[in-house]
Amino acid sequence: MEDKLLRYTLRVDRTLFQKFRYIAGSKGRSANKEIEQYLKRCVAEYEKENGRISTES
């Protein structure tokens, strides 16, 4: 059975990430959940303009 969650290592400037964690915390989210929200928003905006993205292989 394929795991639905993917682990991904992200390399980012330490100061930038500290600021990002502050923003996420101010919204009551972990940095991981805040990144997930940004990704969902980005995909939704793209699909709204360009159509649904197929993930079928």
Side-chain angles (χ1 to χ4, degrees):
M1 175 182 237
E2 184 179 337
D3 190 2
K4 187 174 179 176
L5 297 177
L6 172 72
R7 292 186 184 268
Y8 181 81
T9 301
L10 176 67
R11 293 181 185 94
V12 64
D13 178 79
R14 185 177 305 274
T15 302
L16 176 62
F17 191 70
Q18 288 171 335
K19 291 179 181 183
F20 183 78
R21 283 179 52 191
Y22 179 89
I23 294 167
S26 73
K27 296 178 180 181
R29 296 186 182 125
S30 67
N32 189 68
K33 283 296 179 186
E34 188 69 9
I35 291 169
E36 187 177 351
Q37 292 302 311
Y38 276 112
L39 290 171
K40 286 179 180 180
R41 195 174 315 130
C42 178
V43 169
E45 288 174 13
Y46 182 92
E47 288 185 329
K48 184 178 179 180
E49 293 178 18
N50 300 287
R52 188 170 185 278
I53 300 169
S54 174
T55 58
E56 300 297 318
S57 299

